[in-house]
Amino acid sequence: MSQKILIVEDDAASAAYLAKGLGEAGHVIEVAVDGRDGLFLASEGSFDLMIVDRMLPGLDGLAMIGALRAAGIVTPAIVLSALGTVDDRVGGLKAGADDYLAKPFAFSELSARVDALLRRTDLRASTKQDNVLAVGDLEIDLLSRRVTRGGRAVALGAREFTILEYLARHAGQVVTRTMMLERIWNYHFDPGSNVVDVHIARLRRKIEEGASPILHTVRGAGYMLSAAG
Amino acid sequence: MRLSTTARMAALAIVLTLIAGLVPVAFLWRATHDDAIEVLRRDTGEQADALAATWRRSGLPALRDAVEQVRSSDDPAVVAAIVDRRGVRVAGAGPDRLTTPPAPGFRIERLAEGGSWGEREAGVEMRRVGDRWLVNGRLLDDWEAAQRTIERALALSALVSLALGIAGGLALTRYVTRRVDAVATTADAVAAGNLARRVATDGGDDAFDRLGLRVNAMLDRIERLMAELRLMTDSLAHDLRSPIARLRARAEAALAASDHAQREAALGGLITETDVVTRMLTVLLEISRSEASERSGFTLADPAEVMAAVADLYEPLLDEGGTSLVTAFAAAPPLLLHRELLSQAVTNLIDNALRHAGEGRTVTLRVLSDATAVRMQVEDRGPGIAPEDRDAARRRFGRLDPARSRPGAGLGLALVEAVARLHGGTLDLSDNAPGLIATIVLPRG
């Protein structure tokens, strides 16, 4: 099922670039060029996701999201902004955005975050919270915090368990390094070193030992937990 | 209607001057005033009534007799005369000719130009009797004359007070307006771009001078901030030049690449270089934001926990590189701090330690706490930084390795120092013999 995404961006070139990329990913795109238009379109509540530039003519992106939230419209929103310091990011999230991405960004980063947010709305709509997450033959028991692969127990540290849980909740989707830093460590800055990669490498060694690959590296984007190749 | 401040000030000055002028006048008047003049007026009126009654009852000849009788009495001050329309005396006691033609009513005036009647003023009542005029009354005595003088002086002084009040009010308003205008024109000039313009002060420690000095102090600060801002944007533009030059070189290489694999590699390098520039910009903004010292985003947290979380993030990386990580965290009561910026500062210090300490060495994360400060330390066993180089190391883009053989934008320690300053603390660099101890000192309270 294709999902409707509203892009609110005053820069025509950026909007076209986003619309093209997300359209190729199978989404239905509509573009608004300023905050007022965006507010008007989004207030129908028919979109599954909005991507909103923070600095818009007429009505500021965060103000637009604030107005929608006040009207009871909970369509998830990703804010794009040239303001990229830690305080800007945290402030944007506090203002009602569900995710915040500083410009310039890699398209793969945006795409991964779009998928994550669309999945989240899916989950909220359909299934209840499960005690056991299963990806192929990998099973994660959230209550006892035990992990098995093909029935065999895998011993994981507390941090490794958290990472695996996050990956499993987004199974089949690309998860980027910055997404993990934000969600798992609650850091909104880039540590510069490849710290996340090393965590993943450790985790991968443990869950793939004597079994088929399940934690894949997606080149130029991030990682994906997926049973299928 | 609301008066302007200037008009109200002028009005106030006028009223105050009037009060100041009129209060002593009023006192003097009260102290000297008695009923002498009033008695004169009443007596004269009664006498005039009696004479007029004589005229009505018995006609002009009887009246003439009556006034002639007054004339023959031995009081030379008494006036009782019949005059014609032009004021020429026909009968009775009084001047031969009045200075002003007769008109009905009581008045006090000098009746003649000279002679005994002209020596002093007289209070007289004038009545019309047929085609003649009855003038009766008497010359003022000394006391009455003195009182008249005082009254005239009082009236004059009231007039002078009023004039002075108006003049003083206007002068005061003009003065205040001029002094305020001096500040206003300076503000206008500064707003128009002349940042060096200052309010002229005369050193006489009055309110206007103090206002001028304050405004000047504010303008000094604005000018300094503007200069800092300009310096920052200039250096930013300068610092971005080299990474952008590298970007351009990569792009040109991609254009010139003949085969597909080469082009792929060059384009990949282009993206990596873009990420470097982006990261640099973010860090620079973070530094200048921290230096602007708005303490937003501060929460109460335990520095040891902040350090432990960073240790958790870096432990696998250090382990993988064969560096052993030693942690020693003293329990510290929570402090108001910016968790993310402090974490980022610590990661910068760890990255530095990893870059310089070499592989297979030890990195120690230590939190010390005492009554005055919390010290967050990152210690390595590398070559350290010579004391004379430590200032250069903190500078933006200050890199000690002249050949720039190792990667790094040279912003790491500058950010750490900015974060420490944001917390009211400092970044200390000291010798670990061998190695470097980088300490973020966070003062308590």
Side-chain angles (χ1 to χ4, degrees), chain A residues 84-88 90 104 159 181 185-195 198-199 202 205, chain B residues 278-279 282 285-286 289 296 309-310 312-317 319-320 338-340 343-344 347 351:
Chain A
T85 64
V86 168
D87 283 341
D88 291 327
V90 174
R159 183 58 72 195
L181 278 169
W185 282 275
N186 197 17
Y187 287 151
H188 295 83
F189 60 89
D190 176 6
S193 308
N194 53 339
V195 278
V198 189
H199 277 276
R202 268 195 180 183
R205 269 202 302 278
Chain B
T278 308
R279 202 177 127 66
T282 309
L285 281 175
E286 206 78 78
R289 190 68 73 83
S296 63
V310 178
D312 173 82
L313 179 64
Y314 270 77
E315 186 269 323
L317 180 73
D319 190 40
E320 213 81 358
H338 196 301
R339 183 186 147 271
E340 292 227 27
S343 303
Q344 192 174 6
T347 65
D351 281 336

Short mmCIF file of all heavy atoms in Angstrom, two decimals, chain A residues 84-88 90 104 159 181 185-195 198-199 202 205, chain B residues 278-279 282 285-286 289 296 309-310 312-317 319-320 338-340 343-344 347 351:
data_model
loop_
_atom_site.label_atom_id
_atom_site.label_comp_id
_atom_site.label_asym_id
_atom_site.label_seq_id
_atom_site.Cartn_x
_atom_site.Cartn_y
_atom_site.Cartn_z
N GLY A 84 21.45 23.14 12.96
CA GLY A 84 21.79 21.77 13.29
C GLY A 84 22.50 21.57 14.61
O GLY A 84 23.03 20.49 14.87
N THR A 85 22.52 22.58 15.49
CA THR A 85 23.20 22.36 16.76
C THR A 85 22.31 21.51 17.67
O THR A 85 21.12 21.34 17.42
CB THR A 85 23.52 23.68 17.48
OG1 THR A 85 22.30 24.31 17.80
CG2 THR A 85 24.34 24.59 16.60
N VAL A 86 22.93 20.98 18.72
CA VAL A 86 22.21 20.08 19.61
C VAL A 86 20.95 20.74 20.16
O VAL A 86 19.86 20.15 20.16
CB VAL A 86 23.13 19.66 20.78
CG1 VAL A 86 22.34 18.97 21.86
CG2 VAL A 86 24.23 18.75 20.27
N ASP A 87 21.08 22.01 20.58
CA ASP A 87 19.93 22.70 21.16
C ASP A 87 18.81 22.87 20.13
O ASP A 87 17.63 22.76 20.46
CB ASP A 87 20.33 24.05 21.73
CG ASP A 87 21.04 23.90 23.07
OD1 ASP A 87 20.88 22.82 23.68
OD2 ASP A 87 21.75 24.81 23.48
N ASP A 88 19.19 23.14 18.86
CA ASP A 88 18.18 23.27 17.81
C ASP A 88 17.42 21.97 17.64
O ASP A 88 16.20 21.95 17.52
CB ASP A 88 18.85 23.62 16.48
CG ASP A 88 19.43 25.02 16.49
OD1 ASP A 88 18.85 25.88 17.16
OD2 ASP A 88 20.47 25.22 15.84
N VAL A 90 17.09 19.36 19.74
CA VAL A 90 16.26 19.00 20.89
C VAL A 90 15.04 19.93 20.96
O VAL A 90 13.92 19.49 21.22
CB VAL A 90 17.09 19.05 22.18
CG1 VAL A 90 16.21 18.82 23.39
CG2 VAL A 90 18.18 17.99 22.13
N PRO A 104 22.90 19.86 5.42
CA PRO A 104 22.55 18.90 4.38
C PRO A 104 22.53 17.49 4.94
O PRO A 104 23.20 17.20 5.92
CB PRO A 104 23.68 19.07 3.38
CG PRO A 104 24.85 19.49 4.20
CD PRO A 104 24.31 20.27 5.35
N ARG A 159 23.64 -3.35 26.79
CA ARG A 159 23.65 -2.41 25.68
C ARG A 159 23.36 -3.12 24.37
O ARG A 159 22.60 -2.64 23.53
CB ARG A 159 25.01 -1.70 25.63
CG ARG A 159 25.11 -0.65 24.56
CD ARG A 159 24.05 0.43 24.70
NE ARG A 159 24.31 1.30 25.83
CZ ARG A 159 23.40 2.13 26.34
NH1 ARG A 159 22.19 2.17 25.84
NH2 ARG A 159 23.70 2.88 27.37
N LEU A 181 22.27 6.48 17.41
CA LEU A 181 22.83 7.38 18.43
C LEU A 181 21.72 8.16 19.13
O LEU A 181 21.74 8.35 20.35
CB LEU A 181 23.82 8.36 17.78
CG LEU A 181 25.22 7.83 17.55
CD1 LEU A 181 26.00 8.79 16.67
CD2 LEU A 181 25.95 7.62 18.88
N TRP A 185 21.37 6.00 22.49
CA TRP A 185 22.23 6.72 23.45
C TRP A 185 21.69 8.11 23.80
O TRP A 185 22.23 8.78 24.65
CB TRP A 185 23.65 6.83 22.89
CG TRP A 185 24.43 5.56 23.04
CD1 TRP A 185 25.12 5.17 24.13
CD2 TRP A 185 24.59 4.54 22.07
NE1 TRP A 185 25.71 3.95 23.91
CE2 TRP A 185 25.40 3.53 22.64
CE3 TRP A 185 24.13 4.33 20.77
CZ2 TRP A 185 25.76 2.37 21.96
CZ3 TRP A 185 24.49 3.19 20.10
CH2 TRP A 185 25.29 2.22 20.69
N ASN A 186 20.67 8.54 23.07
CA ASN A 186 20.10 9.87 23.28
C ASN A 186 21.13 10.98 23.06
O ASN A 186 21.16 11.96 23.79
CB ASN A 186 19.48 9.95 24.68
CG ASN A 186 18.52 11.13 24.81
OD1 ASN A 186 18.09 11.68 23.79
ND2 ASN A 186 18.21 11.52 26.02
N TYR A 187 21.99 10.78 22.05
CA TYR A 187 22.94 11.82 21.68
C TYR A 187 22.51 12.43 20.36
O TYR A 187 22.24 11.71 19.40
CB TYR A 187 24.35 11.22 21.50
CG TYR A 187 25.02 10.84 22.81
CD1 TYR A 187 25.95 9.81 22.84
CD2 TYR A 187 24.74 11.53 23.99
CE1 TYR A 187 26.58 9.46 24.03
CE2 TYR A 187 25.36 11.19 25.17
CZ TYR A 187 26.28 10.15 25.19
OH TYR A 187 26.89 9.81 26.35
N HIS A 188 22.47 13.76 20.30
CA HIS A 188 22.09 14.41 19.05
C HIS A 188 23.28 15.06 18.38
O HIS A 188 23.16 16.05 17.70
CB HIS A 188 20.97 15.42 19.29
CG HIS A 188 19.71 14.77 19.75
ND1 HIS A 188 19.49 14.45 21.07
CD2 HIS A 188 18.62 14.35 19.06
CE1 HIS A 188 18.31 13.86 21.17
NE2 HIS A 188 17.76 13.79 19.98
N PHE A 189 24.47 14.53 18.65
CA PHE A 189 25.66 15.02 17.94
C PHE A 189 26.35 13.82 17.32
O PHE A 189 26.01 12.67 17.60
CB PHE A 189 26.59 15.74 18.91
CG PHE A 189 27.09 14.88 20.05
CD1 PHE A 189 28.25 14.13 19.92
CD2 PHE A 189 26.38 14.82 21.24
CE1 PHE A 189 28.70 13.34 20.96
CE2 PHE A 189 26.83 14.02 22.28
CZ PHE A 189 28.00 13.28 22.15
N ASP A 190 27.30 14.10 16.44
CA ASP A 190 27.99 13.04 15.73
C ASP A 190 29.36 12.85 16.38
O ASP A 190 30.20 13.73 16.31
CB ASP A 190 28.13 13.46 14.26
CG ASP A 190 28.92 12.45 13.46
OD1 ASP A 190 29.25 11.38 14.02
OD2 ASP A 190 29.21 12.73 12.29
N PRO A 191 29.59 11.71 17.04
CA PRO A 191 30.86 11.55 17.76
C PRO A 191 32.08 11.47 16.83
O PRO A 191 33.20 11.54 17.31
CB PRO A 191 30.69 10.22 18.50
CG PRO A 191 29.24 9.93 18.46
CD PRO A 191 28.72 10.56 17.22
N GLY A 192 31.84 11.35 15.53
CA GLY A 192 32.99 11.43 14.65
C GLY A 192 33.67 10.09 14.41
O GLY A 192 33.92 9.71 13.28
N SER A 193 33.95 9.37 15.46
CA SER A 193 34.55 8.04 15.26
C SER A 193 33.44 7.06 14.90
O SER A 193 32.27 7.33 15.08
CB SER A 193 35.25 7.58 16.53
OG SER A 193 36.13 8.57 16.98
N ASN A 194 33.87 5.89 14.42
CA ASN A 194 32.88 4.90 14.01
C ASN A 194 32.43 4.04 15.19
O ASN A 194 32.43 2.83 15.14
CB ASN A 194 33.45 4.02 12.89
CG ASN A 194 34.79 3.42 13.28
OD1 ASN A 194 35.45 3.94 14.19
ND2 ASN A 194 35.16 2.33 12.65
N VAL A 195 32.02 4.72 16.26
CA VAL A 195 31.68 4.00 17.49
C VAL A 195 30.52 3.04 17.29
O VAL A 195 30.54 1.92 17.81
CB VAL A 195 31.33 4.99 18.62
CG1 VAL A 195 32.57 5.51 19.28
CG2 VAL A 195 30.45 6.10 18.14
N VAL A 198 31.34 -0.34 15.58
CA VAL A 198 31.99 -1.33 16.43
C VAL A 198 30.97 -2.06 17.30
O VAL A 198 31.05 -3.26 17.50
CB VAL A 198 33.08 -0.67 17.29
CG1 VAL A 198 33.90 -1.72 18.00
CG2 VAL A 198 33.97 0.21 16.45
N HIS A 199 29.99 -1.29 17.81
CA HIS A 199 28.92 -1.93 18.58
C HIS A 199 28.19 -2.96 17.73
O HIS A 199 27.92 -4.07 18.17
CB HIS A 199 27.91 -0.86 19.06
CG HIS A 199 28.33 -0.17 20.31
ND1 HIS A 199 28.11 -0.69 21.56
CD2 HIS A 199 28.96 1.02 20.50
CE1 HIS A 199 28.58 0.16 22.47
NE2 HIS A 199 29.10 1.20 21.85
N ARG A 202 30.24 -6.15 17.07
CA ARG A 202 30.19 -7.05 18.24
C ARG A 202 28.91 -7.85 18.28
O ARG A 202 28.90 -9.05 18.49
CB ARG A 202 30.25 -6.21 19.51
CG ARG A 202 31.63 -6.02 20.02
CD ARG A 202 31.49 -5.53 21.42
NE ARG A 202 32.79 -5.33 21.99
CZ ARG A 202 32.99 -4.95 23.24
NH1 ARG A 202 31.94 -4.74 24.01
NH2 ARG A 202 34.20 -4.81 23.70
N ARG A 205 28.72 -10.48 15.56
CA ARG A 205 29.51 -11.67 15.87
C ARG A 205 28.71 -12.62 16.76
O ARG A 205 28.72 -13.81 16.58
CB ARG A 205 30.81 -11.28 16.57
CG ARG A 205 31.97 -11.04 15.61
CD ARG A 205 33.31 -11.19 16.29
NE ARG A 205 33.49 -10.30 17.42
CZ ARG A 205 33.86 -9.02 17.30
NH1 ARG A 205 34.12 -8.52 16.11
NH2 ARG A 205 34.00 -8.27 18.36
N THR B 278 30.24 19.70 6.57
CA THR B 278 29.01 19.82 7.35
C THR B 278 29.29 19.69 8.84
O THR B 278 28.82 20.48 9.67
CB THR B 278 28.02 18.72 6.93
OG1 THR B 278 27.88 18.77 5.53
CG2 THR B 278 26.68 18.93 7.61
N ARG B 279 30.09 18.68 9.16
CA ARG B 279 30.43 18.42 10.55
C ARG B 279 31.18 19.61 11.16
O ARG B 279 30.90 20.04 12.27
CB ARG B 279 31.31 17.17 10.60
CG ARG B 279 31.30 16.49 11.92
CD ARG B 279 32.12 15.23 11.86
NE ARG B 279 33.10 15.25 12.93
CZ ARG B 279 32.80 15.20 14.21
NH1 ARG B 279 31.55 15.14 14.59
NH2 ARG B 279 33.74 15.21 15.12
N THR B 282 28.81 22.42 11.83
CA THR B 282 28.00 22.16 13.02
C THR B 282 28.80 22.44 14.28
O THR B 282 28.32 23.09 15.22
CB THR B 282 27.53 20.69 13.01
OG1 THR B 282 26.94 20.42 11.75
CG2 THR B 282 26.52 20.45 14.11
N LEU B 285 29.33 26.14 14.79
CA LEU B 285 28.11 26.77 15.29
C LEU B 285 27.91 26.44 16.75
O LEU B 285 27.52 27.28 17.56
CB LEU B 285 26.90 26.30 14.48
CG LEU B 285 26.74 26.98 13.14
CD1 LEU B 285 25.60 26.38 12.36
CD2 LEU B 285 26.50 28.46 13.34
N GLU B 286 28.22 25.17 17.08
CA GLU B 286 28.07 24.74 18.47
C GLU B 286 29.01 25.56 19.35
O GLU B 286 28.63 25.99 20.44
CB GLU B 286 28.43 23.25 18.55
CG GLU B 286 27.78 22.51 19.69
CD GLU B 286 26.33 22.20 19.40
OE1 GLU B 286 26.04 21.25 18.65
OE2 GLU B 286 25.48 22.91 19.95
N ARG B 289 27.68 29.12 19.58
CA ARG B 289 26.48 29.11 20.41
C ARG B 289 26.87 29.03 21.89
O ARG B 289 26.31 29.73 22.73
CB ARG B 289 25.62 27.90 19.99
CG ARG B 289 24.24 27.87 20.56
CD ARG B 289 23.35 28.96 20.01
NE ARG B 289 22.93 28.77 18.65
CZ ARG B 289 21.89 28.02 18.28
NH1 ARG B 289 21.19 27.40 19.18
NH2 ARG B 289 21.56 27.90 17.03
N SER B 296 20.77 27.49 27.98
CA SER B 296 19.53 26.75 27.76
C SER B 296 19.88 25.26 27.68
O SER B 296 21.00 24.89 27.36
CB SER B 296 18.87 27.21 26.48
OG SER B 296 19.71 26.92 25.39
N ALA B 309 28.19 7.09 30.51
CA ALA B 309 27.46 6.85 29.27
C ALA B 309 28.39 6.95 28.06
O ALA B 309 28.31 6.16 27.13
CB ALA B 309 26.31 7.85 29.13
N VAL B 310 29.31 7.93 28.11
CA VAL B 310 30.26 8.05 27.00
C VAL B 310 31.20 6.85 27.00
O VAL B 310 31.53 6.30 25.94
CB VAL B 310 31.07 9.37 27.13
CG1 VAL B 310 32.08 9.46 26.01
CG2 VAL B 310 30.13 10.57 27.10
N ASP B 312 30.50 3.91 27.93
CA ASP B 312 29.72 2.79 27.39
C ASP B 312 29.73 2.82 25.86
O ASP B 312 29.86 1.80 25.20
CB ASP B 312 28.29 2.89 27.92
CG ASP B 312 27.37 1.87 27.28
OD1 ASP B 312 27.39 0.72 27.74
OD2 ASP B 312 26.67 2.23 26.31
N LEU B 313 29.61 4.06 25.31
CA LEU B 313 29.59 4.20 23.85
C LEU B 313 30.95 3.86 23.24
O LEU B 313 31.03 3.26 22.19
CB LEU B 313 29.19 5.64 23.49
CG LEU B 313 29.13 6.00 22.01
CD1 LEU B 313 28.04 5.20 21.31
CD2 LEU B 313 28.87 7.49 21.83
N TYR B 314 32.04 4.21 23.93
CA TYR B 314 33.37 4.08 23.35
C TYR B 314 34.08 2.77 23.69
O TYR B 314 35.06 2.41 23.06
CB TYR B 314 34.25 5.26 23.79
CG TYR B 314 34.16 6.41 22.83
CD1 TYR B 314 33.05 7.25 22.84
CD2 TYR B 314 35.14 6.63 21.87
CE1 TYR B 314 32.93 8.29 21.95
CE2 TYR B 314 35.03 7.67 20.96
CZ TYR B 314 33.93 8.50 21.01
OH TYR B 314 33.82 9.52 20.12
N GLU B 315 33.56 2.07 24.70
CA GLU B 315 34.28 0.89 25.19
C GLU B 315 34.59 -0.10 24.07
O GLU B 315 35.75 -0.51 23.92
CB GLU B 315 33.47 0.25 26.33
CG GLU B 315 34.14 -0.89 27.05
CD GLU B 315 33.80 -2.22 26.41
OE1 GLU B 315 32.65 -2.39 25.97
OE2 GLU B 315 34.69 -3.06 26.33
N PRO B 316 33.60 -0.48 23.21
CA PRO B 316 33.93 -1.45 22.15
C PRO B 316 34.99 -0.92 21.19
O PRO B 316 35.87 -1.66 20.76
CB PRO B 316 32.59 -1.65 21.42
CG PRO B 316 31.55 -1.19 22.36
CD PRO B 316 32.17 -0.11 23.18
N LEU B 317 34.90 0.39 20.87
CA LEU B 317 35.85 0.97 19.92
C LEU B 317 37.26 0.89 20.47
O LEU B 317 38.20 0.50 19.77
CB LEU B 317 35.47 2.43 19.65
CG LEU B 317 36.37 3.17 18.67
CD1 LEU B 317 36.11 2.68 17.25
CD2 LEU B 317 36.17 4.66 18.75
N ASP B 319 38.33 -1.14 22.81
CA ASP B 319 38.64 -2.55 22.95
C ASP B 319 39.15 -3.10 21.61
O ASP B 319 40.17 -3.77 21.55
CB ASP B 319 37.38 -3.29 23.40
CG ASP B 319 37.69 -4.71 23.78
OD1 ASP B 319 38.75 -4.92 24.42
OD2 ASP B 319 36.89 -5.59 23.43
N GLU B 320 38.41 -2.74 20.56
CA GLU B 320 38.75 -3.20 19.21
C GLU B 320 40.14 -2.73 18.81
O GLU B 320 40.89 -3.44 18.17
CB GLU B 320 37.71 -2.66 18.22
CG GLU B 320 37.43 -3.58 17.07
CD GLU B 320 36.44 -4.68 17.44
OE1 GLU B 320 35.99 -4.74 18.61
OE2 GLU B 320 36.13 -5.46 16.56
N HIS B 338 24.81 20.79 30.83
CA HIS B 338 24.26 20.48 29.52
C HIS B 338 24.78 19.10 29.14
O HIS B 338 25.91 18.97 28.71
CB HIS B 338 24.69 21.53 28.51
CG HIS B 338 23.87 21.50 27.25
ND1 HIS B 338 23.80 20.40 26.45
CD2 HIS B 338 23.07 22.43 26.67
CE1 HIS B 338 23.00 20.65 25.42
NE2 HIS B 338 22.54 21.88 25.53
N ARG B 339 23.94 18.09 29.32
CA ARG B 339 24.37 16.71 29.18
C ARG B 339 24.99 16.44 27.81
O ARG B 339 26.07 15.86 27.72
CB ARG B 339 23.16 15.79 29.39
CG ARG B 339 23.49 14.34 29.35
CD ARG B 339 22.24 13.48 29.41
NE ARG B 339 22.44 12.27 28.64
CZ ARG B 339 22.18 12.15 27.34
NH1 ARG B 339 21.68 13.16 26.68
NH2 ARG B 339 22.42 11.02 26.70
N GLU B 340 24.31 16.88 26.76
CA GLU B 340 24.79 16.53 25.42
C GLU B 340 26.09 17.22 25.07
O GLU B 340 27.01 16.61 24.55
CB GLU B 340 23.72 16.87 24.37
CG GLU B 340 22.51 15.99 24.50
CD GLU B 340 22.05 15.43 23.17
OE1 GLU B 340 22.90 15.29 22.26
OE2 GLU B 340 20.87 15.14 23.03
N SER B 343 28.83 15.64 27.00
CA SER B 343 29.16 14.33 26.42
C SER B 343 29.99 14.51 25.16
O SER B 343 30.99 13.81 24.94
CB SER B 343 27.88 13.57 26.04
OG SER B 343 27.04 13.41 27.15
N GLN B 344 29.57 15.48 24.32
CA GLN B 344 30.30 15.72 23.09
C GLN B 344 31.73 16.16 23.39
O GLN B 344 32.68 15.73 22.73
CB GLN B 344 29.58 16.79 22.27
CG GLN B 344 30.11 16.89 20.85
CD GLN B 344 29.30 17.85 20.01
OE1 GLN B 344 28.40 18.52 20.50
NE2 GLN B 344 29.62 17.91 18.73
N THR B 347 33.67 13.10 24.32
CA THR B 347 34.00 12.27 23.16
C THR B 347 35.13 12.91 22.36
O THR B 347 36.00 12.19 21.85
CB THR B 347 32.79 12.06 22.22
OG1 THR B 347 32.40 13.31 21.66
CG2 THR B 347 31.63 11.44 22.93
N ASP B 351 38.49 11.05 21.48
CA ASP B 351 38.98 10.95 20.10
C ASP B 351 40.41 11.46 19.99
O ASP B 351 41.25 10.85 19.32
CB ASP B 351 38.07 11.75 19.16
CG ASP B 351 36.79 10.98 18.83
OD1 ASP B 351 36.82 9.75 18.92
OD2 ASP B 351 35.78 11.62 18.49
#
